Structures are given as C-alpha cells and as structure tokens.
Amino acid sequence: MAYMVFTTATTSNPTQLGEDYLRVGGELLKGAGATRLAVSQSLAAGEGTGSVAVTSIWDSLDTAMTALTSFRADERVQADMKANEVVPISRIVTVIDEERGTPEGAFVGATFGAATIPDPNRTTELADVSGELMTGAGCNGVRLVTAVAAGEQTGMAIGLIYTDSLDAWAAGQQAAAGSDTLKGLFSALGMQIGGRSISRVIGTA
C-alpha cells in the first residue's frame, strides 16, 4: 500500500517555494523514504485558486508522519517558510488505489467525488476506463486516490489526471462526459462529482 500526502498553503512566491521544498525535501524526505515529491500551484480551483500543494508519496504512513514532522521542524524549512510568507491551510492523507499510464506532466487536473457504494473491483475497472479515456485524449496518465485522514473530506475519491496540455485535459473531460461505460460505473459506485481543479506543476523529485 502506498500513501500520498497533500499539504496545501498560500505563499508569496510559489516558484521559489517549490525550489526550496524540492531542494531540502530531496535531502530530508526522500532520504527518509519518500518515493516522489511534487509541488503544484492551482490555476483554476474556485476559492482555492493560487494556493500551492506540496505532495509526497510513501510506502509507510509511520515513516511519512515522522519524516514530515522532522522536516517541518528543520531550521532551513522554517527559514524558507518565513522568506516565502507561507501560510499552511491543510494536510490530508490519501491511499493510492490505482495508476494508469504515466502519472507525470506539466499540469495535473483533479476531479473530486464520493462513492456511496465503494467496490474495489469497480475501482479497478474505473481506473481502466478513465485511464483509457484520458490517455486516448492525449493525457499522460491517471492516479486514483482515496482520502483516509482528511477531516470532513475523509472518504473523498480524487482522480488525478497528468498532462502536458490543458487542451488534452479538456478533451479527456469531454470524452468522459460522453462515455456510457463511465456513467454506468459511476452509477454502480454511487459516485457523485463534487468539483474539479487544474494546477501547474512547479517541480518534482
């Protein structure tokens, strides 16, 4: 099982924050066991537009929480947060359910929903269908995660769509909207879409 931890914040300098996070995080977090780090800034997310998300992927939640606590306490991180006027907003922990294609790209689109009739087999089928639709539209790949510690958002399903073209993302959304197979899966899962966002990826490590 793999976990993806999201921390969102506002900052006066998203690009510099990304560089600082990846520089120090590459040493402290990847050194502690993180398999991927990323920083992105929302381009269209309603009230959340402009906020920054820093994410990390881990094979152990114990390791993740210990490492992230130590990271936050590091003097370099404290200095970077002060210099970039960082104001933390929230942190959520998700479990990675499925991946298809190559979940990397210059942009990432997120679709937020909730399944009232969860079914692991259907989730696998959902990954197959959505992955085919998105990559067929020119996107690079998808990652499906479920929030397991996220306050009122616990249980939320998040579909992350990675792409180098926002036009490809938009084409993928149009293809999804017209897919009877996807509509059937949503019905079987009791899936309701709660929102979408698009973000630019500042950097990864």
Side-chain angles (χ1 to χ4, degrees), residues 83-179:
N84 293 307
E85 299 178 300
V86 175
V87 179
I89 299 173
S90 68
R91 174 184 288 169
I92 69 170
V93 176
T94 70
V95 171
I96 297 176
D97 298 314
E98 301 280 351
E99 294 181 343
R100 296 292 184 275
T102 303
E104 298 287 351
F107 303 97
V108 57
T111 299
F112 306 94
T116 58
I117 316 170
D119 182 337
N121 293 326
R122 293 284 190 179
T123 300
T124 298
E125 190 176 354
L126 179 62
D128 291 338
V129 173
S130 61
E132 183 176 352
L133 288 168
M134 295 305 122
T135 57
C139 297
N140 300 337
V142 302
R143 175 179 287 126
L144 304 184
V145 304
T146 300
V148 294
E152 295 179 353
Q153 296 177 315
T154 298
M156 175 176 60
I158 308 172
L160 300 170
I161 303 160
Y162 296 82
T163 181
D164 292 319
S165 165
L166 292 176
D167 287 333
W169 173 84
Q173 299 308 304
Q174 186 174 17
S179 170

Side-chain angles (χ1 to χ4, degrees), residues 15 73 138 168:
T15 300

Side-chain angles (χ1 to χ4, degrees), residues 1-126:
M1 184 178 294
Y3 302 89
M4 189 171 185
V5 181
F6 296 74
T7 300
T8 57
T10 61
T11 175
S12 61
N13 194 334
T15 300
Q16 186 61 53
L17 174 64
E19 293 175 359
D20 293 341
Y21 173 75
L22 295 173
R23 172 176 47 81
V24 182
E27 174 189 338
L28 299 180
L29 298 180
K30 295 202 79 173
T35 59
R36 180 183 186 270
L37 305 176
V39 183
S40 61
Q41 181 186 26
S42 59
L43 301 175
E47 294 180 355
T49 300
S51 63
V52 170
V54 294
T55 63
S56 52
I57 294 178
W58 306 81
D59 293 326
S60 164
L61 194 53
D62 285 325
T63 301
M65 292 298 101
T66 299
L68 288 168
T69 299
S70 297
F71 176 78
R72 179 67 181 274
D74 188 90
E75 291 182 356
R76 291 169 294 175
V77 175
Q78 292 288 331
D80 290 341
M81 291 180 66
K82 183 177 181 180
N84 293 307
E85 299 178 300
V86 175
V87 179
I89 299 173
S90 68
R91 174 184 288 169
I92 69 170
V93 176
T94 70
V95 171
I96 297 176
D97 298 314
E98 301 280 351
E99 294 181 343
R100 296 292 184 275
T102 303
E104 298 287 351
F107 303 97
V108 57
T111 299
F112 306 94
T116 58
I117 316 170
D119 182 337
N121 293 326
R122 293 284 190 179
T123 300
T124 298
E125 190 176 354
L126 179 62

